[in-house]
């Protein structure tokens, strides 16, 4: 199995940027498709973005398209989420997830999850 640890969250003003990282250990990172999800207080976990194995293709939720960029560095066993033009509605705990299946926007398709990192965007 693979272990995932997110970092890079914090407090930022609206319009600012943050870069989240997800460090993977255990099994070969490049074998997994990866995704980012987020969960705001009182809301269900929602899909943010996913990336295929070996960086071959990305997909974004409409709410973040054009502002967020998902990427991966297989040599570093790390997944990234660059978040620009942040809005207060982006406030949530952000989770990275790994799957041996093709990448999906459905959280149930992911086998492994990190513990999450808090992102707070002030207005």
């Amino acid at each position: 199995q693979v272990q995932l640890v997110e970092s890079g969250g914090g407090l930022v003003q609206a319009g600012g940027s943050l870069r989240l990282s997800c460090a993977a250990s255990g099994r070969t990172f490049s074998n997994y498709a990866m995704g980012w999800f987020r969960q705001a207080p009182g809301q269900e976990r929602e899909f943010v973005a996913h990336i295929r194995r070996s960086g071959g293709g990305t997909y974004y939720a409409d709410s973040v398209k054009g502002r967020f960029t998902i990427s991966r560095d297989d040599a570093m066993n790390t997944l990234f989420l660059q978040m620009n033009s942040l809005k207060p509605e982006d406030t949530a705990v952000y989770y990275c997830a790994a799957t041996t299946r093709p990448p999906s926007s459905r959280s149930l398709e992911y086998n492994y999850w990190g513990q999450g990192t808090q992102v707070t965007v002030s207005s």
Side-chain angles (χ1 to χ4, degrees):
Q1 62 182 26
V2 63
Q3 292 78 42
L4 305 172
V5 179
E6 302 94 336
S7 62
L11 174 64
V12 63
Q13 289 188 331
S17 298
L18 282 175
R19 189 193 197 201
L20 305 184
S21 298
C22 171
S25 60
R27 295 292 180 92
T28 304
F29 178 67
S30 60
N31 288 344
Y32 294 88
M34 300 296 296
W36 284 101
F37 292 78
R38 66 187 182 186
Q39 188 167 18
Q43 298 187 23
E44 294 186 354
R45 190 169 298 187
E46 68 170 354
F47 167 75
V48 175
H50 66 57
I51 187 167
R52 292 187 177 276
R53 289 178 290 182
S54 303
T58 58
Y59 182 76
Y60 299 90
D62 287 343
S63 59
V64 306
K65 198 174 297 181
R67 301 188 297 122
F68 291 12
T69 302
I70 187 172
S71 62
R72 63 189 298 161
D73 186 330
D74 289 348
M76 293 178 58
N77 292 339
T78 305
L79 176 73
F80 301 100
L81 185 68
Q82 178 67 44
M83 306 186 295
N84 299 328
S85 302
L86 282 161
K87 305 175 181 180
E89 51 264 43
D90 294 318
T91 295
V93 177
Y94 282 71
Y95 299 89
C96 64
T99 180
T100 54
R101 305 181 183 95
S104 171
S105 60
R106 300 176 66 236
S107 60
L108 292 176
E109 297 294 331
Y110 290 81
N111 311 94
Y112 306 105
W113 292 83
Q115 83 291 345
T117 185
Q118 176 70 47
V119 171
T120 303
V121 184
S122 64
S123 57

